[in-house]
Amino acid sequence: MSEPSTQTLPTIAVTGATGRLGGRVARRLAARGAPQKLLVRSPERAPRLPGAVAVRGEYADREAVREALTGIHTVFMVSASESGDRLARHQAFVDAAAEAGVRHLVYVSFYGAAPDATFTLARDHFHTEQHIRAAGLAYTFLRDNFYAEFVPDLVGEDGVIRGPAGQGRAAFVAHDDIADAAAAVLSGPQDHVGATYDLTGPESLTLDEAAAILSEELGRAVTYRPETVEEAYGSRATYGAPPWQVDAWVSTYTAIASGELDGVGDAVPRLTGHPATPLARVVRDAGR
């Protein structure tokens, strides 16, 4: 991995660069010629990019994060992996970033983040946003709708999507669109201070409509079968997951049913200069 010269020390840090979203953002910044620091749990797994240096730093390790972010002005902060203590890890990271002198956090939040959001994990995102504000950092919040790449994972082995989503809608958004938007913000963060962007796909779909798209693109029958909330909890109880995880799984669907994931925004085309990617194209490209 190439070391940045003293003339091009990075002022941008990207977290989660070994993952699907952080990796995309890191590659886009490298393509723009931006020196960057990749803050990851396993530096040996970080992408090898020109002008990038990988350093170790887990969110809950305040000392390591503080050391890694010293000299960094702007941080792209993906949300930590889902866990019962994710909010605490987010708060520790934000505090360490503030102590390191970071000026601006670009945080990947969630569409409709609120303390009483139906989707339980969206509540963590709301409280993380509040903690960033309280830390006195400049911020930009990228509030993503559900990932379009996630939709095929809803399909059971029998070709059926089951969940209590009713006929609610969600505006599924592509990883590539989020990464394009994030790279645009990180390339000129001063123009986005205090902004909250709702990142959505170009259409808001029911799960019946999503199933029809999957059928067409996957070449096999996919259908949606609504469940009651009680049925959803019962069918997922067999996995032996902790209660917070089961709540998250079920509330994925009840959030759609509530209408909280409905609505198509214009932030993706405004930030990226191109239209948002339809679910059909995301699924088609994934199969190539």
Side-chain angles (χ1 to χ4, degrees), residues 139-156:
Y139 63 84
T140 306
F141 298 143
L142 305 179
R143 289 185 168 183
D144 308 340
N145 209 291
F146 282 130
Y147 296 146
E149 289 81 358
F150 166 70
V151 179
D153 295 338
L154 299 176
V155 183

Side-chain angles (χ1 to χ4, degrees), residues 17-114:
T18 56
R20 287 179 291 183
L21 184 54
R24 281 174 165 85
V25 172
R27 287 190 287 274
R28 282 159 172 77
L29 291 176
R32 293 175 180 230
Q36 58 186 311
K37 187 175 283 189
L38 308 180
L39 189 64
V40 293
R41 286 183 295 178
S42 305
E44 67 278 6
R45 294 181 53 233
R48 300 178 65 85
L49 300 170
V53 58
V55 295
R56 189 182 307 278
E58 297 191 37
Y59 277 18
D61 188 340
R62 286 180 60 164
E63 184 175 347
V65 170
R66 186 167 55 245
E67 180 178 349
L69 295 183
T70 298
I72 295 295
H73 297 166
T74 305
V75 175
F76 177 68
M77 179 186 173
V78 300
S79 55
S81 56
E82 295 177 5
S83 68
D85 67 345
R86 181 164 70 161
L87 178 57
R89 289 191 287 152
H90 283 181
Q91 292 171 335
F93 179 85
V94 171
D95 291 342
E99 291 165 3
V102 170
R103 303 173 188 172
H104 190 156
L105 275 182
V106 179
Y107 173 60
V108 180
S109 186
F110 189 76
Y111 191 90

Side-chain angles (χ1 to χ4, degrees), residues 123-139:
R123 303 170 194 171
D124 287 350
H125 287 292
F126 169 80
H127 291 296
T128 300
E129 289 183 359
Q130 293 298 95
H131 198 76
I132 291 169
R133 289 188 175 99
L137 296 165
Y139 63 84

